[in-house]
Amino acid sequence: MFNRRRFLAQIGLAGSVPFVLSAFGEETYQDYVEKVLGFRKARRDPKWVDGSMWINAADFSDYGGWVYDTQFAHLMGSGVLLAAGTGRPVEDAKMMFTMPEAKPVRIWVRARNWDRATRPGRFQVVLNGKKLNREFGAADSDEWIWEDAGIQELSAGMHSLVLHDLTGYYGRCDAILLSEDPSFVPPSGVDEMKILRARLMQLPEKPKDGGSFDLIVAGAGPAGAPAALAAARLGLKVALVTDRPVLGGNASLELGVNFNGADQHHPNAREGGICEEATRIRARFDAKEMSLAFGRLADEENNLTVFKNKHINKVYKTGSIIDAVEAFDVCTYETVRLNGKMFVDATGDAWLGYYAGADYRLGRESQSEYGEKYAPAVADNVTMSGSLLAGPKGTFWLTERTGVDVPFQRPAWAYDFPANPEFGRSLKWFQTGDWWFEYDGKMDDLYEAEQARDELLRIYFGMWNWIKNTWERRDEARSYEMEFIPPWFAKRESRRLLGDHVLTHPEALRVEPFEDAVAYAGWGLDVHHPKGVFSGREGPFMCVDHMPISLIPYRCCYSRNVDNLLMAGRNISVSHVALGHVRVQSTLATVGQAVGTAAALAVKYGMTPRGIGQSRLKELQQTLLKNDQWFPGLKNEDSADLARTAVCSASSEQASRPFDEVAGDLTGKPAELTSGRGCIIPWEKGKKLSSLLALMESKAGVGQRVNLRIRAASGPQDTSSREDLLIKWGQVEPGRHWVPFQINQSFDADYLWVIIDKLDSVSWFLRKGTVDGGARTWGSDWKWSSIPGGSMMLFTDEELAAGGSSPASAAVNGIPRPSEQSMNQWASAADQPMPQWLQLDFEKAASIGRVQLTFDTDLNCRNFDTPAFPAQCVRDYRVEVEENGRWVPVVEERGNFQRHRIHTFTARRTSKLRVWVDATHGDRQARIYEVRVYGS
Ligand SMILES: Cc1cc2nc3c(=O)[nH]c(=O)nc-3n(C[C@H](O)[C@H](O)[C@H](O)COP(=O)(O)OP(=O)(O)OC[C@H]3O[C@@H](n4cnc5c(N)ncnc54)[C@H](O)[C@@H]3O)c2cc1C
């Protein structure tokens, strides 16, 4: 039987209750369980109205093992109770209701037989301890229908009602209707039903007035939450509306998808701004998901009102301007109207834009349309599939190791994958499921979303059957029992709203220098196969190519035909193929911040979003940079920043990047040389390579000779060459040390594939971040595979010498993060003790009331690897200004863990400012990327 407590322990919540609780402020653990897992409390006591009583699924006071599922409420008008039980019936859902007087009533139960042939989701209704005389969810129809439970004599007073699951296979109940009219048949159409429900639930006829806002953001996922935060911080009165109980979208506690972006494939490329701020909070509280971080940041904004469990399903418009939206509460069904000046669609599915009549695109463009090599010859409606997910670690299913053999029999409705299915995929995590359990992209996951989710159930259970009974490594899974297959459906793709520009793959690949860039992308081109798990040998990807860091133009972020509509997230104006590049969450968070900022400027100047692009672009870009959002080429040109013209000095300066700091980029466990390992690095044709150094560890008691080969490669994924251009050997001694290889040779190749041969008892370390354009390779000579997104600890002597110095002046050079040429930061000398100071002398005395500091949180580390307290980050600091020859403290901060800090204080007239660094989180150097100084 589904065990909630064990489930929570498995997904990692049981041990982390205190911080999870803090995400919900005063609410209790039980509230959390109810909210996130759907065990919501009854909202009301059903009443006898007009000879009938309407009982909603949400009205059950104890959901037992059923979950209250509101995912499809926008299509069917209500949430349902769902028996998500993996083949073992779930605990009963229970409630009481009161009859005002004794009478016979006809009972109707709204249920759905979700697989007509096999009737998997059967359940019973038990009234006052007596089973009604039929099974529900077993009708000869796979639609939602009212099932007649016959006439029952009810006495006046209290009655008990129970939903009793019979199968444990996703039985579902929407509502129960009692009618004193034996001939009454409830309507089946969604609209008629809404009218009846509203009457019997005595819902107000008109939507409640939810207020007027400068900006309304629909959807609070990775894109929507930053959009709302950015705008609220710039002074807008903002409403953030989500139909889920928590913030975060796919990255929430419910679904738990990792935040990825350019950080995964490029050095020093982790996204800054609100994305980094939320990431720091996530890491600080040891959370795996973003609900906690976005929740905390939203709580801090007085200008921001969050509306949870509210699905926007109506738009009020005048001409091409949206005036207001209407949303209904997916638990109470009450409606609310919110008036706004500006709107952001961050719903993923572009519902707001759709209701507003915004132009959109669904599916794949033809190859000829944008010259995209991965596009099909003819355009179609096919999208990437979604997956079922359970948060907060983003697992696809949960299994438990029992210690005894646990047989599994495939339910008749699940797919029966053949013995040798040639999936073209390898199964990595049978314990937690895999990301390629996907349906055929022809499924309509907008209007047949519930059916699409059910199709995933068929696939997931089919996969589990295949693993248990057919897979060649099935012995490993023998003692594992399926614990939970989540019913929550996370989507990868649906509508994309059309802006003034559509970003395409060729543009991203050649890094089109868009003048209106507002964000960057750096994820690979990651387009999943349209046929999902049914693509056979073709595997899970349509394409998965390395991509450069590309720019995202602002023109992709507002609607081309609705004048006050912006968009952020996976529904921005990009082609289907380019979506494969931009659709990851860190990237979308930066798009969100850009769009929220643009909305703030649009309201400030009374302009449309398009108008901002036409006449306030520079201000938009500079405002983003001021708030720690960057893209390549962007430099501080803010004339109000007094620091730009200041002369800098410091207590000490680091002359060049020390060798042991480079070694400090080390990550995780080293890779054992049980097979050959390699690294493909970009090279300049004809350039001479003097030597290479690899960080290795030997557990052999004696020194050994280790072979290194260099081959030519045409790209970062090319492991085709079998021709060694050079073989050298190095000496690896016991313990950990750098192994030098003298090369002294020029290579006429664009990429060098450096391989170290298999060697017993020896390991090669991996490096944090990646070499730009480089890739790890794994394998032996007959079969190599290239693994994008990581690199081995391998340096050219040139790289080690590089790194540049970190003078005080770097803190005002306008670039607040490392570039290829420089670290762009002030770093104190490694041999000088704390405290250390950085001083700014201004051209002339000025009134100063605001200081912005940007610290080093190691943007070279991937988002999900970033530690809570990066050693480089300044922990304790002070700011002083000189007044009449005396240093006066204006800021003192202890325990900082953020990269970007803004301090405002009573303005003081001064010509000198000093930042004291008292302590870091472990690094012996004080590091500051940027100091900005303003009057207010
Ligand atoms: C299985 C899977 C694995 C993935 N893996 C990764 C990964 O490893 N790394 C990565 O970075 N990305 C990954 N992605 C991609 C990433 O999760 C999405 O591209 C991203 O979440 C899109 O963000 P968004 O803000 O546009 O939409 P979403 O995250 O979908 O958020 C939109 C929110 O709006 C709400 N909403 C929808 N309609 C309405 C409405 N009408 N009214 C109010 N609220 C509404 C939704 O309920 C949702 O909460 C994955 C996606 C999937 C499906």
Side-chain angles (χ1 to χ4, degrees), residues 74 218-224 241-244 246 248-251 254 257-261 310-313 327 346-352 355 385-389 396 435 438 489-493 523 528 568-571 582-586 588:
H74 57 298
V241 188
T242 175
D243 57 8
R244 303 307 304 168
V246 286
N250 281 359
E254 290 186 290
V257 173
N258 268 330
F259 251 54
N260 291 128
K310 304 273 185 298
H311 183 86
I312 292 176
N313 65 339
T347 61
D349 289 349
W351 284 112
L352 171 57
Y355 294 131
S385 167
S387 299
L388 302 178
L389 272 173
F396 297 91
W435 57 265
E438 297 174 333
F489 179 28
K491 292 191 199 170
R492 288 190 175 83
E493 181 183 359
W523 185 249
H528 289 208
R570 63 182 166 87
N571 57 14
V582 306
R583 69 189 176 86
V584 278
Q585 303 185 128
S586 300
L588 298 180

Side-chain angles (χ1 to χ4, degrees), residues 55-105:
I55 298 171
N56 271 320
D59 295 336
F60 277 74
S61 51
D62 175 0
Y63 295 165
W66 297 63
V67 285
Y68 183 56
D69 183 1
T70 61
Q71 292 178 97
F72 315 114
H74 57 298
L75 298 173
M76 53 183 293
S78 55
V80 302
L81 278 179
L82 181 76
T86 52
R88 288 153 294 184
V90 304
E91 289 165 39
D92 292 347
K94 298 172 188 154
M95 67 172 294
M96 303 294 288
F97 66 93
T98 309
M99 285 294 292
E101 58 190 69
K103 60 178 81 184
V105 296

Side-chain angles (χ1 to χ4, degrees), residues 57 60 66-69 71-72 76 78-85 90 109-116 119-125 135-139 141-147 163-176 388 413 448-458 461 486-487:
F60 277 74
W66 297 63
V67 285
Y68 183 56
D69 183 1
Q71 292 178 97
F72 315 114
M76 53 183 293
S78 55
V80 302
L81 278 179
L82 181 76
V90 304
V109 176
R110 194 153 188 266
R112 187 172 153 234
N113 173 8
W114 65 275
D115 189 87
R116 196 170 179 173
R119 304 181 300 139
R122 298 185 313 282
F123 64 95
Q124 283 175 316
V125 175
E135 286 181 3
F136 299 92
S141 158
D142 54 12
E143 301 288 322
W144 277 100
I145 54 167
W146 287 105
E147 298 190 34
L163 295 185
H164 179 66
D165 178 27
L166 292 172
T167 62
Y169 278 138
Y170 305 91
R172 48 201 83 177
C173 175
D174 168 18
I176 295 175
L388 302 178
W413 45 267
E448 292 182 346
E450 191 184 358
Q451 287 85 336
R453 190 274 308 277
D454 294 345
E455 176 72 357
L456 286 170
L457 290 175
R458 291 187 181 92
F461 278 90

Side-chain angles (χ1 to χ4, degrees), residues 621-670:
Q621 292 167 330
Q622 287 297 316
T623 310
L624 288 171
L625 187 62
K626 187 175 175 186
N627 292 297
D628 195 33
Q629 176 154 326
W630 171 90
F631 55 81
L634 188 60
K635 215 176 155 178
N636 179 4
E637 294 173 23
D638 185 354
S639 55
D641 175 11
L642 300 166
R644 285 178 61 227
T645 51
V647 175
C648 296
S649 55
S651 49
S652 69
E653 293 175 344
Q654 179 61 44
S656 67
R657 199 168 175 221
F659 183 84
D660 62 348
E661 184 195 319
V662 179
D665 289 346
L666 205 72
T667 181
K669 243 176 87 187

